Amino acid sequence: MHQPVGPPFSETLVRRLRRAERVAVLTGAGISAESGVPTFRDPDGLWQKFRPEELANVEAFLDNPELVQGWYAHRRQVVEDVEPNPGHVALAELEQWVTARGGEFLLATQNVDGLHRRAGSERVVELHGSITRSHCIECSAPADASATERGALTCESCGGLVRPDVVWFGEMLPEAAIAAAQEAAALADVYLSVGTSAVVYPAAGLPQLARQAGAYVVEVNPIPSDIAGLLNEVVRGRAGEALPDLVR
Ligand code: BV8
Ligand code: ZN
């Protein structure tokens, strides 16, 4: 692995990264934007066409399962047709660089697109689940992916409704995932918050937790997130362009 080098990152960050025993990362939809996956809250984002209340919650699903399943089937198709971008790859390389020298690394993503793992990241927790998997709301049986591809709405074994394995508003995050992400944030020497508007909790609380626990917290985002003022350093840039500089 190459040593991380400077611009647009500060010498402070590069120096701290060289020394860091524990590095943790939070990513949001912005890191997948350069792969062609629409974000949620950017002007051309997913929520512009629909509001979260309309789609990403249980009531909306039960009220109109065809609409919600159709939206996820569309998003699955988008994700299948795209590739990880240099931002995803850089984070996978950063993981290798940190772990190869015996350090700890954890990437917590809010994204449900599976692109971090496709880019080679291994130490990943999916805080909001994954659209690549679905299950029956009655018997919890995993739904056959091809069946959902065909837009099947019901469970083959019990006839119950099938939903994507994502965390909707008002639903608890996977216990183990959020606990691991919070522990990594509390212990991190360096914390990167990449491509998130930091408006959705509890995920948005992670960079703040890291900062309060003494980590050096850096945001990578073309525009200030909700928590930019609380961080040590902000890199006004696109993840796919800025992150490779960190590990070059
Ligand atoms: C929970 C489903 C316990 C999967 C999603 C009042 C106040 C505070 C909190 C609450 C409240 N009322 C309710 C809550 C809790 C609620 C919440 O936080 N609401 C917010 C909106 C106010 N949270 C929950 O309900 C969570 N559960 O708390 O359970 C509970 C239970 C009951 C009641 C209370 C609490 C569940 C949260 C998960 C919701 N599921 N999606 C899916 O369909 O995908 S949320 C959705 O937003 C996605 O998961 C997404 O990951 C997440 C965050 O969005 P971002 O990833 O940040 O994306 P966004 O578009 O916003 O930003 C993109 C950023 O990238 C931008 O800043 C942009 O500038 C930047 N960018 C663009 N291009 C690039 C880039 N950056 C870098 N490079 C680029 N090239
Ligand atoms: Zn079932």
Side-chain angles (χ1 to χ4, degrees), residues 13 17 22-28 31 87-88 90-96 98 104-111 116 121 123-127 177 180-196 203 206-207 210 215-220 239 243 246-247:
L13 171 59
L17 208 49
R22 295 186 184 89
V23 175
V25 183
L26 171 69
T27 62
I31 193 160
H88 295 108
L91 289 180
E93 291 179 350
L94 180 63
E95 173 183 334
Q96 288 161 7
V98 171
E104 294 293 318
F105 183 93
L106 186 70
L107 192 167
T109 186
Q110 300 171 85
N111 299 341
H116 282 300
S121 290
R123 300 191 184 190
V124 181
V125 289
E126 292 173 321
L127 299 174
Q182 285 167 335
E183 186 188 14
L187 296 174
D189 302 309
V190 173
Y191 197 91
L192 304 180
S193 181
V194 182
T196 183
L206 291 165
Y216 188 77
V217 185
V218 181
E219 168 174 282
V220 179
L243 289 178
L246 198 54
V247 291

Side-chain angles (χ1 to χ4, degrees), residues 136-141 154-161:
C136 169
I137 62 171
E138 301 301 338
C139 71
S140 304
T154 51
C155 171
E156 288 177 353
S157 47
C158 80
L161 274 176

Side-chain angles (χ1 to χ4, degrees), residues 5-78:
V5 290
F9 295 92
S10 71
E11 269 313 304
T12 307
L13 171 59
V14 173
R15 195 172 54 252
R16 282 174 176 262
L17 208 49
R18 277 206 186 102
R19 281 203 319 255
E21 287 173 19
R22 295 186 184 89
V23 175
V25 183
L26 171 69
T27 62
I31 193 160
S32 296
E34 289 158 270
S35 292
V37 181
T39 63
F40 289 85
R41 296 170 184 85
D42 282 328
D44 61 344
L46 288 166
W47 297 141
Q48 303 318 311
K49 301 173 191 65
F50 302 99
R51 286 177 303 114
E53 302 70 35
E54 280 174 322
L55 291 174
N57 67 60
V58 183
E59 296 72 31
F61 174 69
L62 296 176
D63 195 37
N64 192 337
E66 288 81 2
L67 172 69
V68 176
Q69 266 290 18
W71 185 55
Y72 281 97
H74 163 70
R75 288 176 57 194
R76 257 193 296 274
Q77 197 53 57
V78 167

Side-chain angles (χ1 to χ4, degrees), residues 141-152:
D144 170 54
S146 61
T148 34
E149 284 323 308
R150 288 194 309 277

Side-chain angles (χ1 to χ4, degrees), residues 29 34 40-41 72 75 128 167 170-171 196-197 201 221 223 239:
E34 289 158 270
F40 289 85
R41 296 170 184 85
Y72 281 97
R75 288 176 57 194
H128 295 165
V167 178
E171 293 186 324
T196 183
S197 59
Y201 286 79
N221 193 324
I223 58 174

